[in-house]
């Protein structure tokens, strides 16, 4: 297991605005008497099948499915959840064994045994969905069910990060009777063994979660039911919060709304500001005649003004980022700043001139309209302004909703496109490995052979992450030299809630996924 206590910051509430402090708003002492807690977010699932999602769908999965390992409140390394215990059983980090809790069942009462776990993991690789998480299982050779309660994972190479992979919602355990081995499950139903059962689901609108009476795991549920409402933008979500239709928001607060909530001293709302490790970045497609040229990519990297984006667009609710690995993780560097320094048109022109490029470079930048917050369109307008004003580029902006946007970048349709990344697990490896290799999370091949064949494999033999810093730094410098990916900013997590809601400050795990079971209404003293 990794020792991350040195570098992970626990999510903590550092700001709140309220009229009422100390006493609750309910008089009868029953926190469930006002109905389910309603959570608003702008991050809707793309699918209900864990084998088909390597995205924000995990936020729902964490609450309705179960994984062998997960993160109890306060934990910074994976701990047993559906499993009673897990450990490497050899000295080379190539054999990993888990023993299930006794009497495990899915929400519908079907037994959850070792064969169900094997089925769940095997189908991820068998289906190999274009938007699925099969890429996380690159080190897995085979899964073996030993009797009803033991699962053994045989790896094809040492991988000290494997427990963290098992703790991601991608590895959710599903019922073999409901989830085909060779295809994704269709429809609006889901069968898991998590703290909640999915009672109903309306795509893009809401998910109704109720207590799963068969659940066995570490979650200490503070409520009986949660309804998640999905919004297209922050303004609509905040309006619902202020009207009382929503009890708390999770992901997607726009910078302007954050600032407004901070200033409303007469409000009955609280604002929680927590550390975040989500990042925003640009991806260059090697299939495009301009984006494939290193000089073009490096000129863009030389011009982009991250400080202006953070201040003008996000009102300082995000921080400029100069590496794909965010601050707060072991191995973080400022390699882009160290290489390119402050934004400079003259240095960018010199880069292009050196490559024999003397015309304005035409680039089309793509972004999604409904995934990474309301400021995304404004950020791309700012990027266009910066690049156009340099006199070196002629930028066209294009956009699509997330579901069609994903299909487009997987097909290689976009010359340059924006992505965000919410970590699978809190380690620098997870901000490098998913983006490199012939098959990766971006749909654009990026061989990076020294990273994939030397630096990452060597770092994965070492459980003490402090001892692999040099390899992680070397990998980041290669990514800077290639400039295939250009980091823009690192986010913070803002949650807004009514004053009678408690537990929001405890609800985010180290990957900033909300554990809905921590939320509850205050009762009177």
């Amino acid at each position: 297991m990794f020792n991350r206590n040195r570098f992970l910051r626990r999510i903590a509430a550092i700001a709140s605005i309220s009229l009422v402090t100390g006493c609750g708003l309910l008089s009868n002492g029953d926190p469930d008497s006002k109905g389910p807690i309603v959570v608003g977010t702008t991050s809707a699932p793309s699918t209900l099948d864990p084998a088909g999602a390597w995205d924000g769908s995990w936020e729902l999965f964490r609450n309705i499915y179960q994984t062998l390992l997960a993160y109890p409140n306060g934990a910074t390394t994976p701990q047993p959840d559906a499993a009673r215990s897990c450990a490497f059983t050899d000295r080379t980090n190539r054999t990993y064994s888990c023993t299930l809790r006794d009497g495990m069942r899915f929400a519908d009462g079907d037994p959850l045994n070792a064969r169900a776990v094997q089925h769940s993991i095997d189908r991820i690789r068998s289906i190999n969905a274009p938007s699925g998480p099969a890429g996380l299982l690159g080190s897995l050779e085979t899964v073996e069910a030993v009797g009803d309660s033991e699962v053994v994972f045989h790896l094809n190479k040492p991988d000290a990060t494997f427990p963290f992979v098992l703790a991601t919602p991608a590895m959710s355990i599903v019922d073999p009777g409901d989830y085909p081995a060779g295809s994704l499950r269709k429809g609006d139903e889901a069968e898991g063994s998590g703290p909640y059962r999915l009672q109903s689901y309306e795509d893009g609108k809401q998910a109704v979660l109720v207590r799963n009476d068969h659940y066995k795991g570490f979650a200490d549920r503070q409520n009986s039911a949660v309804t998640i409402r999905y919004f297209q933008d922050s303004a609509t979500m905040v309006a619902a919060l202020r009207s009382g239709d929503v009890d708390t928001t999770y992901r997607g607060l726009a910078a302007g709304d954050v600032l407004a909530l901070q200033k409303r001293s007469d409000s009955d709302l609280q604002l929680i500001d927590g550390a975040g490790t989500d990042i925003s970045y640009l991806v260059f497609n090697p299939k495009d005649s301009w984006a494939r040229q290193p000089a073009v990519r490096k000129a863009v990297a030389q011009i982009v003004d991250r400080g202006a984006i953070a201040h003008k667009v996000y009102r300082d609710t995000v921080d400029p980022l100069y590496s794909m690995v965010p601050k707060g993780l072991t191995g973080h560097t400022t390699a882009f700043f160290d290489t390119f320094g402050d934004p400079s048109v003259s240095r960018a022109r010199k880069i292009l001139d050196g490559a024999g490029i003397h015309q304005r470079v035409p680039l089309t930048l793509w972004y999604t309209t409904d995934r990474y917050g309301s400021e995304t369109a404004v950020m791309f307008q700012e990027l266009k302004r910066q690049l156009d004003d340099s006199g070196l580029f002629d930028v066209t902006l294009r956009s699509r909703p997330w579901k069609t946007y994903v299909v487009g970048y997987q097909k290689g349709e976009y010359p340059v496109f924006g992505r965000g990344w919410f970590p699978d697990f809190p380690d620098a490896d997870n901000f490098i490995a998913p983006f490199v290799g012939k098959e990766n999370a971006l749909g654009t091949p990026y061989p990076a052979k020294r990273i994939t064949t030397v630096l990452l494999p060597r770092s994965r033999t070492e459980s003490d992450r402090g001892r692999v810093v040099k390899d992680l730094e070397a990998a980041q410098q290669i990514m800077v030299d290639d400039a295939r990916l250009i980091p823009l900013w690192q986010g913070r997590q803002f949650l807004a809630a009514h004053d009678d809601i408690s537990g929001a400050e405890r609800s985010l795990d180290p990957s900033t996924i909300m554990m809905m079971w921590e939320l509850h209404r205050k009762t009177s003293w």
Side-chain angles (χ1 to χ4, degrees), residues 66 139 244 299 337 425 449 460:
Q66 208 171 4
S139 64
F337 184 83
F425 51 87
K449 290 185 178 179
R460 289 173 176 174

Side-chain angles (χ1 to χ4, degrees), residues 200-521:
S200 65
Y201 179 76
E202 296 179 77
D203 186 25
K205 294 182 179 180
Q206 73 173 18
V208 177
L209 280 56
V210 296
R211 186 184 185 94
N212 173 15
D213 293 332
H214 291 292
Y215 171 70
K216 290 185 177 182
F218 64 73
D220 182 11
R221 290 166 291 190
Q222 301 297 307
N223 60 67
S224 296
V226 173
T227 295
I228 306 172
R229 289 187 56 192
Y230 301 111
F231 294 87
Q232 292 296 313
D233 56 70
S234 173
T236 307
M237 181 170 67
V238 172
L241 177 72
R242 287 178 171 152
S243 70
D245 292 335
V246 165
D247 294 307
T248 182
T249 67
Y250 165 39
R251 199 182 293 282
L253 280 178
D257 290 320
V258 170
L259 295 179
L261 288 166
Q262 287 174 337
K263 293 176 181 178
R264 283 173 61 99
S265 59
D266 61 342
S267 174
D268 62 350
L269 302 175
Q270 55 181 314
L271 182 69
I272 295 132
D273 179 354
T277 52
D278 58 302
I279 67 172
S280 176
Y281 57 98
L282 293 176
V283 183
F284 288 79
N285 186 350
K287 295 179 181 179
D288 180 75
S289 59
W290 287 107
R292 73 160 59 108
Q293 300 187 49
V296 170
R297 303 195 299 263
K298 291 179 181 180
V300 173
Q302 185 64 74
I303 290 171
V304 169
D305 188 338
R306 296 168 177 80
I309 291 171
H311 180 68
K312 292 171 60 177
V313 178
Y314 290 93
R315 314 281 288 276
D316 299 317
T317 60
V318 303
D319 298 317
L321 183 62
Y322 297 94
S323 168
M324 291 297 290
V325 177
K327 292 177 290 186
L329 298 186
T330 292
H332 163 75
T333 72
T334 55
F336 268 89
F337 184 83
D338 299 339
T339 300
F340 295 101
D342 292 323
S344 171
V345 173
S346 62
R347 288 197 294 268
R349 182 178 289 109
K350 185 176 180 180
I351 291 171
L352 292 174
D353 286 344
I357 301 173
H358 306 296
Q359 68 180 90
R360 287 177 72 114
V361 176
L363 281 182
T364 300
L365 273 59
W366 282 81
Y367 63 92
T368 180
T369 57
D370 59 353
R371 192 63 177 177
Y372 303 122
S374 304
E375 290 90 359
T376 302
V378 182
M379 179 182 75
F380 273 82
Q381 290 165 8
E382 172 63 17
L383 285 169
K384 172 179 168 58
R385 185 198 66 76
Q386 293 177 10
L387 294 171
D388 285 351
D389 287 356
S390 73
L392 304 176
F393 292 91
D394 185 5
V395 172
T396 300
L397 298 181
R398 294 284 186 268
S399 63
R400 285 177 177 170
W402 176 251
K403 285 192 174 183
T404 53
Y405 185 74
V406 171
V407 174
Y409 73 67
Q410 289 170 347
K411 291 181 177 180
E413 295 178 1
Y414 312 145
V416 186
F417 59 98
R419 281 295 309 269
W421 185 253
F422 302 99
D424 304 320
F425 51 87
D427 185 83
D429 181 288
N430 193 236
F431 290 87
I432 299 172
F435 311 132
V436 296
K438 292 182 179 180
E439 295 183 2
N440 58 49
L442 304 173
T444 56
Y446 180 15
K449 290 185 178 179
R450 178 164 172 77
I451 296 178
T452 58
T453 63
V454 178
L455 299 175
L456 289 181
R458 187 164 63 198
S459 72
R460 289 173 176 174
T461 65
E462 180 57 67
S463 294
D464 182 352
R465 304 311 279 166
R467 299 179 64 177
V468 299
V469 168
K470 288 185 178 180
D471 283 342
L472 296 174
E473 290 177 345
Q476 289 170 81
Q477 188 59 51
I478 290 171
M479 297 173 86
V480 171
D481 295 339
D482 293 340
R484 283 281 307 275
L485 309 169
I486 297 180
L488 299 174
W489 53 257
Q490 174 177 348
R492 304 208 305 268
Q493 289 300 313
F494 291 95
L495 288 74
H498 283 273
D499 237 359
D500 66 333
I501 299 296
S502 290
E505 72 280 1
R506 293 169 48 87
S507 66
L508 300 185
D509 76 5
S511 297
T512 68
I513 293 176
M514 180 174 270
M515 301 177 289
M516 302 291 179
W517 57 85
E518 293 287 352
L519 302 173
H520 61 279
R521 289 191 173 87

